[in-house]
Amino acid sequence: MASNRLGSDYNTWINSLRSDFSRDLRRRDRVEAEAEKPPTGANKVERVHWYIKDNARNHKTIKYDLVHDKEKPRPVLRRGQLFYLAIRFQENFDQAKDRVVLNFRFGHKPSVSKGTLGVVMVKNDKLTRTKDEWDCRIDPGTRGKDLVVQVYIPIGACVGIYHLEVLSGLHNSPNTGMNTYLDETDCYILFNPWSRDDTVFLEDEQKREEYVMNDRGKVWVGAYRKARGRPWAFGQFDDVVLPVAVYLLEISKVADPERGNPVKVVRGISAGVNSSDENGVLEGRWDGEYSDGVPPYRWSGSVRILEQYVKSGYQPVKYGQCWVFSALVTTVCRALGIPCRSVTNFVSAHDTNSSLTIDKFFDKQGEEIEGGPDGENWDSIWNFHVWNDVWMARNDLPAGYGGWQAIDATPQEESDHKMQCGPTSLVAIRRGDIGLNYDAPFVFAEVNADVMHWGEDPQSEWGWSRMKMNKYHVGRSIMTKTSGKEDDIGDDDGEDVVNDYKNEEGTMAERLAIHNAIRGSRRAMQYYNFKSDVKEDVTFDLIDIDKIIMGQPFQVKVVARNESNETRKVRAFLNARSLYYTGVSVAHIKKAEGNFIIEPKGTQEVAMTVQFKEYWEKLVEHCMMKIYAICRVEETQQTWTDEDDFTVEKPRLNIQVTGEPRVRNMCEVTMSFTNPLDVPLTNCHISMDGPGLMRPRSIDITDNVAPNQEFVYSTRFMPRIHGERKLIIAFNSKELFDITGSKTLVVVKAE
């Protein structure tokens, strides 16, 4: 109650007080304890210098905002590399006399045996240990009071925040107590995809640049034939990201000693990004009711979400859906040094009963029965579903299963009593090896499940007979942003990676993978053993709808061909509905049914036209529609069904920038598009993100946009960091939402 009454950031303020008070208390205790120690005659440490920016350049972490913080810069380093460190003593450092030990402390209870305490004796000018151990050498730059060392971080070091403790004593009095100096600096150590010895090593430089260093990109949404790359600002170098990434590993309860293992780390990330367990970052919602939060389609970058999470006292942010969860995972993984890509599976199966099939039931009128005949079947097909691939070796699996691994932060099914999924080897999915860790059957079904349509049949033993098994419906394409390519105007920077997940549809290898998986599921064997001897001598084809522009009508058409030498009478049902991208039906748009005759060897078309005024008010986010077609042949009882989904295309946002993009030089951005509707756009809003250009912005537009009129809006910003940057903007209104655009800028250094 108090936090609600005093504001959303009250919890943050209270937590900061607790943290500051606890830190001050620990500091006073250490000072007093040191003062009470008997004199040792040993040299004492005055301060530590981290060479933060120099080390960051060598460790490829110079882009992190934490490195450049003017008041409290923090070192960001990668394991498997050396870094420079200087220790200033009260008296001149004497290597022959002074005994110095460096303790690198990690986690709640640092322990040498658990790998969370690195103990390094400073005594040599050469490295003497293995790549799996902390080590250091004295640098020639050592002189006077300054001891300069190069410290090696073990290749398997835990990832997160370390604190340095320096012990100083005398070589000739080893039993005499040592002075202790604890440096308060938070030192971040990350995975190292540049090191061949690291389990996340990625050899291709262009792919490293894309999957680790690129702080902007796209998340694919829409329908599989007309996929749209939605621009997104990942912003993994922003100052809010690394602290939250470390926090997520805490709340997801990844044990301290396991935080050097990318398998455990990404599994923890998949649990921590959603709010289902331990108040993770983002709360999901799919019913269209977002009045107490932010609609998912308003987000255009990760940083604003993470900032809101921190400012609200680490309470879940409302609301997200799969593409937002995936974008956040991309941000967190790349921040920690794990190569990561957001991938979108178009026509994605959610197999609730582990049958490796998606079962849909239809009554005699051709209407789908939600929940099936017993109300217990909630298999579904999402028009698209977005998750992530992360790159790593899999030392916990047999040889050959490393490389890309699928993880999913969208809360769907529990795994080990948590809403988490993966990492699942893509090699295992392609082979149908669903018995391997983690969650392989679920991911396999998402891209491979066969769709079974069941029709009401009084003569069947259980009242239903199988009308159709579509083996090539699920997992039509799996899209991601290709490496090394940017397209602000269109979507030529997309790449279909479906062949990473499965063999080509219809090939012997693809069917063998299916059968391999079926052998691992008793429920699947029951469904696939179903036989049907119905005579099928009429072929049907539901004509694909390639493109519909907002404001235009569309037509549903089925072409039937009679392959027999006899006349066939056919009854057809055509049904158009609006739906959420998860496949959940929203509203009935139009239905048509009737009978027609097909002559022997003849062809007949049946069509239904849907006008703009019949569908546009029934559309919801993503503007998706689904078409069902069912045809029954009277003479043979042959039944055919098919379905199609598509999106109504909306205009893109045009973005123009005036003024020279220069650090600390004011620029103006103008965005525009034409309202395609014959009604005004109300409750207009703009979201802006630009890593290195500006802090995320949320702008309410007071004026409406008149029907068929151009919307134009300008605002100003001052670039923060030089280099190639991208401005990402999303426009939303009550009537029309998710109008997006992006603009790449090259910012030059300040004069």
Side-chain angles (χ1 to χ4, degrees):
M1 292 296 292
S3 60
N4 292 333
R5 185 176 69 250
L6 297 174
S8 61
D9 60 351
Y10 179 72
N11 286 333
T12 303
W13 183 68
I14 287 293
N15 289 336
S16 67
L17 287 180
R18 292 170 179 161
S19 177
D20 290 344
F21 293 165
S22 297
R23 181 170 293 191
D24 286 345
L25 179 60
R26 290 195 301 269
R27 178 183 54 79
R28 289 194 297 268
D29 286 344
R30 287 197 306 271
V31 171
E32 292 176 4
E34 283 296 306
E36 292 175 357
K37 285 183 178 179
T40 64
N43 213 343
K44 288 188 176 183
V45 175
E46 284 190 347
R47 64 177 183 270
V48 170
H49 181 65
W50 287 87
Y51 298 101
I52 291 177
K53 289 187 179 181
D54 292 331
N55 286 323
R57 292 186 187 95
N58 292 331
H59 286 244
K60 296 181 172 60
T61 59
I62 194 65
K63 290 186 176 182
Y64 286 85
D65 284 355
L66 294 177
V67 169
H68 302 278
D69 191 300
K70 292 183 179 180
E71 293 186 4
K72 195 176 179 181
R74 275 144 289 187
V76 181
L77 308 169
R78 298 192 187 276
R79 64 188 194 176
Q81 281 188 237
L82 290 164
F83 70 93
Y84 282 92
L85 184 73
I87 304 169
R88 168 67 61 87
F89 288 93
Q90 291 180 352
E91 301 174 5
N92 287 344
F93 173 76
D94 185 343
Q95 185 176 348
K97 182 185 73 171
D98 294 324
R99 180 171 177 243
V100 180
V101 177
L102 308 179
N103 290 335
F104 291 91
R105 304 169 61 87
F106 179 86
H108 181 54
K109 292 183 178 180
S111 166
V112 173
S113 62
K114 292 182 178 181
T116 56
L117 175 60
V119 180
V120 187
M121 180 73 74
V122 180
K123 58 181 180 180
N124 298 309
D125 57 3
K126 293 182 181 179
L127 300 177
T128 60
R129 297 185 175 184
T130 70
K131 293 180 179 180
D132 297 316
E133 300 174 282
W134 288 89
D135 201 355
C136 85
R137 64 187 177 202
I138 299 174
D139 189 81
T142 296
R143 59 177 55 87
K145 297 180 180 180
D146 294 326
L147 166 63
V148 181
V149 295
Q150 287 181 283
V151 179
Y152 172 77
I153 306 170
I155 196 61
C158 298
V159 167
I161 298 174
Y162 284 75
H163 290 106
L164 172 62
E165 182 181 61
V166 184
L167 304 181
S168 58
L170 298 172
H171 284 304
N172 58 8
S173 301
N175 296 323
T176 305
M178 300 182 73
N179 300 318
T180 302
Y181 176 88
L182 183 61
D183 186 73
E184 297 282 0
T185 305
D186 291 341
C187 174
Y188 288 85
I189 293 180
L190 313 179
F191 290 102
N192 193 347
W194 283 267
S195 172
R196 291 185 176 275
D197 298 314
D198 201 311
T199 46
V200 302
F201 171 67
L202 181 59
E203 186 166 15
D204 190 304
E205 174 59 29
Q206 180 174 287
K207 291 182 178 180
R208 276 201 304 260
E209 188 65 27
E210 180 69 41
Y211 302 133
V212 181
M213 300 300 289
N214 198 350
D215 59 0
R216 72 270 185 191
K218 288 182 177 179
V219 180
W220 257 255
V221 297
Y224 76 94
R225 279 193 307 276
K226 200 63 180 178
R228 174 172 68 94
R230 194 180 192 279
W232 193 273
F234 297 119
Q236 66 265 32
F237 306 119
D238 194 278
D239 53 15
V240 74
V241 178
L242 271 181
V244 172
V246 171
Y247 176 76
L248 293 185
L249 298 181
E250 290 290 341
I251 64 172
S252 58
K253 295 182 172 57
V254 178
D256 288 349
E258 293 180 337
R259 294 190 196 179
N261 182 351
V263 173
K264 299 295 185 179
V265 168
V266 298
R267 189 158 172 80
I269 291 170
S270 79
V273 163
N274 70 71
S275 67
S276 299
D277 306 288
E278 291 90 22
N279 283 338
V281 177
L282 196 62
E283 182 176 335
R285 191 156 191 168
W286 287 266
D287 60 3
E289 176 51 57
Y290 312 119
S291 58
D292 60 338
V294 176
Y297 48 78
R298 277 199 182 183
W299 303 116
S300 52
S302 301
V303 172
R304 186 155 66 99
I305 298 172
L306 297 175
E307 285 183 344
Q308 185 172 325
Y309 182 56
V310 173
K311 291 176 181 178
S312 66
Y314 296 88
Q315 296 302 304
V317 176
K318 301 177 179 180
Y319 288 103
Q321 291 176 355
C322 69
W323 76 94
V324 189
F325 287 110
S326 175
L328 280 173
V329 167
T330 305
T331 297
V332 173
C333 287
R334 290 184 183 180
L336 291 174
I338 301 170
C340 181
R341 65 187 185 187
S342 174
V343 296
T344 303
N345 180 36
F346 287 96
V347 191
S348 186
H350 185 175
D351 179 19
T352 60
N353 62 358
S354 299
S355 65
L356 301 186
T357 64
I358 301 299
D359 304 293
K360 296 189 175 185
F361 295 84
F362 298 85
D363 63 21
K364 291 182 178 180
Q365 285 69 46
E367 292 284 353
E368 185 180 6
I369 301 174
E370 297 289 338
D374 55 7
E376 297 296 327
N377 181 81
W378 295 103
D379 288 353
S380 62
I381 295 179
W382 292 24
N383 294 72
F384 65 88
H385 180 44
V386 192
W387 61 75
N388 295 85
D389 290 338
V390 288
W391 182 272
M392 64 184 68
R394 287 300 298 270
N395 297 328
D396 59 319
L397 299 181
Y401 288 94
W404 288 118
Q405 316 285 319
I407 61 173
D408 192 348
T410 301
Q412 294 183 95
E413 297 286 333
E414 281 195 349
S415 174
D416 294 335
H417 310 292
K418 280 187 178 183
M419 287 296 185
Q420 58 188 353
C421 180
T424 307
S425 167
L426 267 58
V427 173
I429 297 303
R430 194 165 62 246
R431 294 175 180 173
D433 294 337
I434 64 174
L436 301 175
N437 283 340
Y438 291 90
D439 310 305
F442 185 80
V443 179
F444 182 88
E446 286 184 303
V447 299
N448 284 293
D450 288 336
V451 181
M452 292 191 179
H453 286 189
W454 302 84
E456 193 173 0
D457 182 3
Q459 299 185 7
S460 169
E461 291 183 3
W462 70 300
W464 303 86
S465 60
R466 193 173 73 193
M467 299 187 291
K468 174 186 180 182
M469 182 172 76
N470 187 337
K471 298 178 180 178
Y472 313 116
H473 187 80
V474 166
R476 294 286 185 95
S477 66
I478 301 177
M479 292 296 297
T480 189
K481 181 185 176 300
T482 191
S483 60
K485 193 172 183 179
E486 304 279 343
D487 186 357
D488 290 336
I489 300 174
D491 290 316
D492 287 341
D493 50 357
E495 178 184 3
D496 190 349
V497 294
V498 68
N499 291 332
D500 288 352
Y501 276 83
K502 56 184 184 179
N503 300 291
E504 185 178 351
E505 295 280 15
T507 62
M508 180 63 71
E510 186 262 345
R511 283 292 104 185
L512 285 174
I514 294 288
H515 291 307
N516 189 31
I518 292 169
R519 285 198 298 268
S521 169
R522 181 175 297 177
R523 176 69 62 87
M525 292 176 65
Q526 294 173 352
Y527 276 74
Y528 276 88
N529 284 336
F530 187 92
K531 302 294 184 182
S532 176
D533 56 0
V534 174
K535 183 178 182 180
E536 298 185 349
D537 56 16
V538 180
T539 63
F540 299 91
D541 184 21
L542 177 62
I543 304 303
D544 292 337
I545 298 174
D546 290 327
K547 185 176 182 179
I548 295 177
I549 302 296
M550 181 69 76
Q552 295 182 355
F554 66 91
Q555 189 177 67
V556 183
K557 182 187 293 186
V558 174
V559 178
R561 177 172 174 77
N562 183 1
E563 305 287 352
S564 75
N565 296 316
E566 302 174 3
T567 299
R568 293 290 182 246
K569 183 178 181 180
V570 178
R571 183 164 182 79
F573 301 86
L574 303 178
N575 199 338
R577 305 187 69 89
S578 68
L579 69 159
Y580 294 113
Y581 81 95
T582 57
V584 175
S585 180
V586 176
H588 170 76
I589 293 175
K590 194 170 185 177
K591 180 179 179 181
E593 59 179 285
N595 299 315
F596 60 93
I597 303 294
I598 316 180
E599 298 298 327
K601 305 298 183 181
T603 301
Q604 181 72 42
E605 292 184 357
V606 57
M608 175 180 72
T609 299
V610 182
Q611 301 294 334
F612 174 64
K613 64 181 180 180
E614 293 178 297
Y615 70 78
W616 88 265
E617 288 186 331
K618 297 177 181 179
L619 297 178
V620 291
E621 51 209 71
H622 297 292
C623 297
M624 308 204 81
M625 284 188 275
K626 181 175 282 292
I627 305 300
Y628 282 118
I630 300 178
C631 294
R632 291 194 177 97
V633 181
E634 183 177 294
E635 291 81 4
T636 62
Q637 299 302 304
Q638 174 189 349
T639 302
W640 167 88
T641 68
D642 203 352
E643 58 188 87
D644 186 24
D645 54 74
F646 56 90
T647 59
V648 181
E649 285 194 21
K650 294 167 286 189
R652 286 185 182 265
L653 201 61
N654 179 43
I655 301 173
Q656 298 295 328
V657 175
T658 56
E660 183 182 27
R662 182 183 295 273
V663 174
R664 296 193 298 274
N665 182 56
M666 192 65 72
C667 295
E668 184 174 77
V669 56
T670 301
M671 59 210 76
S672 62
F673 75 96
T674 299
N675 176 11
L677 306 182
D678 55 5
V679 299
L681 305 182
T682 62
N683 299 335
C684 301
H685 179 273
I686 291 173
S687 300
M688 296 179 63
D689 285 88
L693 293 174
M694 65 177 72
R695 289 290 185 183
R697 296 184 186 180
S698 178
I699 305 169
D700 290 321
I701 307 298
T702 55
D703 296 333
N704 296 340
V705 183
N708 303 305
Q709 295 298 307
E710 186 179 28
F711 165 78
V712 180
Y713 181 82
S714 298
T715 187
R716 305 175 77 194
F717 67 95
M718 188 179 292
R720 297 166 48 227
I721 304 173
H722 71 276
E724 186 176 279
R725 303 292 166 186
K726 182 165 288 193
L727 188 62
I728 296 171
I729 304 176
F731 171 92
N732 292 281
S733 69
K734 181 180 179 182
E735 296 76 16
L736 189 65
F737 24 76
D738 207 18
I739 308 296
T740 61
S742 62
K743 183 77 171 179
T744 299
L745 309 175
V746 177
V747 180
V748 299
K749 293 182 179 180
E751 293 180 341

